[in-house]
Amino acid sequence: MSTELASSDPGEAGVVAKLPTLDRFLPIWILAAMVMGLLAGRLIPGLGEALGAVAIDGVSLPIALGLLIMMYPVLAKVRYDRLDTVTGDKRLLISSLVLNWLIGPALMFALAWLLLPDLPEYRTGLIVVGLARCIAMVIIWNDLACGDREAAAVLVALNSVFQVIAFGALGWFYLAVLPGWLGLPTAGLDVSAWAIVRSVLIFLGIPLLAGYLTRRCGERARGRDWYESRFLPRIGPFALYGLLFTIVILFALQGDAITSRPLDVVRIALPLLLYFGLTWAGSYALGRAVGLGYERTTTLAFTAAGNNFELAIAVAIATWGATSGQALAGVVGPLIEVPVLVGLVYVSLRLRRRLFPPRTGVLEPTGSGAHG
């Protein structure tokens, strides 16, 4: 992020207190960005409509700009020459696929029906959120928690491939087929394959390519030592700036909708809170059970718990309309996800020493997390 989050060992007692000032108060900056966006969307007439109009083919340019600025510095830090160490880790890859494409959607389906049986629009919107696996903001959470950067890049790319292939089919299954088997009301989902591909190309493809080319060209021109000790610290702060800008814009776009229906937001928030907490904790426990180290367990947990709210909101608006309950459910997703996953970053850092004590004489993997 803005500074090297792991400038001291995250396993040490009091790690959060030892973080650089900018990172230590990250929850405050994020909360301030959320409040600023909500107030701006509520108090400035026509702001949401004006920001929403700045779009190309349904893609909000301000949000796209913020996400690209946010992801680029982190992806420029990835050691692409180490990706083969991740692709050979079958425990990590299989665990991620099971969590993201079997357990995650099924858990959201169950929570949506259990907690919103009387609100079909919100219920459907949450199910769509559960199907959209994260390919963008999870990069930031993983880096903050000192997860494995290379593993995050591989798992996000894997999720992107499966998103293109499976999103439409899973939407049909969870909205039409499974409810029919259970004797419940069904719904439809009309989503184009191009909308999914476009989301992947913009929100992952562009920053991934930029990060890869930056590292290759930078190391070739000036060497790895200069690249990692001089160049990366200069671009690091832009990840935080991009994150905060994205949050302000996102909440400004939907500030009026969120603040005008507070009770509905609370109803939608409850299953989301349970979903993020249960998914993260279960993934963390699974990573430790199958013998993954701290860095890859952390990456597994955050890539499973995060969701692609950009895609979920776009699909909901295209299918049911911008003022629909399904769209509101998609908007509430990041309202809950952002503070919850920021909190889990700190939980993860505090759990590191307790659950993953360093073994004397054994070197831990390098090149992961926010280490350099």
Side-chain angles (χ1 to χ4, degrees):
M1 291 293 290
S2 56
T3 53
E4 289 305 309
L5 187 62
S7 56
S8 59
D9 181 6
E12 296 177 3
V15 60
V16 174
K18 295 181 180 181
L19 295 176
T21 301
L22 196 58
D23 291 318
R24 192 187 316 148
F25 295 106
L26 178 64
I28 296 177
W29 313 142
I30 288 179
L31 178 61
M34 293 168 64
V35 172
M36 185 183 302
L38 287 173
L39 291 177
R42 179 71 175 180
L43 300 177
I44 301 177
L47 178 62
E49 291 78 3
L51 290 173
V54 186
I56 296 179
D57 198 16
V59 177
S60 169
L61 293 185
I63 290 180
L65 176 62
L67 288 171
L68 294 180
I69 295 173
M70 176 189 75
M71 293 178 66
Y72 166 68
V74 181
L75 290 172
K77 295 178 182 178
V78 172
R79 290 284 299 275
Y80 292 94
D81 55 342
R82 292 179 176 170
L83 294 185
D84 58 334
T85 66
V86 180
T87 56
D89 191 342
K90 299 299 188 295
R91 296 169 302 170
L92 177 67
L93 298 182
I94 293 174
S95 296
S96 180
L97 288 175
V98 170
L99 288 167
N100 276 285
W101 298 102
L102 293 179
I103 296 178
L107 176 62
M108 186 68 90
F109 174 87
L111 291 172
W113 273 101
L114 286 172
L115 298 176
L116 300 174
D118 57 328
L119 297 171
E121 290 189 357
Y122 298 154
R123 183 179 65 234
T124 299
L126 286 183
I127 292 172
V128 172
V129 170
L131 298 176
R133 313 313 298 173
C134 197
I135 63 171
M137 203 168 281
V138 69
I139 296 287
I140 289 291
W141 312 139
N142 177 74
D143 208 51
L144 282 169
C146 300
D148 188 317
R149 286 197 191 113
E150 289 70 43
V154 170
L155 295 186
V156 165
L158 191 64
N159 275 342
S160 300
V161 173
F162 270 78
Q163 200 149 252
V164 172
I165 297 172
F167 184 89
L170 286 175
W172 168 72
F173 176 76
Y174 279 106
L175 293 177
V177 177
L178 184 56
W181 290 350
L182 299 175
L184 301 171
T186 62
L189 179 65
D190 182 19
V191 56
S192 69
W194 167 240
I196 303 171
V197 172
R198 181 184 61 204
S199 175
V200 170
L201 290 177
I202 293 175
F203 297 119
L204 176 62
I206 294 175
L208 183 62
L209 179 62
Y212 173 78
L213 291 177
T214 299
R215 178 171 279 277
R216 287 295 301 271
C217 296
E219 288 188 354
R220 182 173 299 175
R222 303 290 296 273
R224 177 164 293 177
D225 181 67
W226 172 87
Y227 182 83
E228 296 191 344
S229 64
R230 301 288 298 277
F231 178 74
L232 289 181
R234 291 178 183 174
I235 66 171
F238 288 95
L240 176 57
Y241 304 152
L243 172 63
L244 297 178
F245 175 80
T246 301
I247 292 171
V248 170
I249 296 299
L250 181 67
F251 284 82
L253 280 167
Q254 300 294 337
D256 184 64
I258 292 173
T259 56
S260 63
R261 289 186 269 180
L263 294 181
D264 288 355
V265 170
V266 171
R267 288 289 305 272
I268 297 169
L270 181 56
L272 284 168
L273 282 169
L274 290 172
Y275 172 81
F276 293 130
L278 290 173
T279 303
W280 188 89
S283 303
Y284 208 91
L286 176 61
R288 189 165 184 267
V290 299
L292 298 176
Y294 170 81
E295 288 81 5
R296 291 189 177 177
T297 294
T298 297
T299 300
L300 180 67
F302 281 99
T303 51
N307 288 85
N308 186 353
F309 61 83
E310 307 93 354
L311 176 61
I313 294 171
V315 169
I317 291 175
T319 305
W320 296 286
T323 59
S324 65
Q326 291 89 338
L328 179 61
V331 169
V332 175
L335 175 70
I336 305 304
E337 177 180 339
V338 169
V340 168
L341 292 190
V342 168
L344 289 173
V345 166
Y346 287 85
V347 171
S348 183
L349 290 172
R350 290 188 179 276
L351 287 176
R352 182 173 187 175
R353 186 174 184 178
R354 180 175 299 178
L355 299 182
F356 299 89
R359 292 175 293 170
T360 304
V362 179
L363 295 177
E364 294 186 357
T366 58
S368 56
H371 298 299

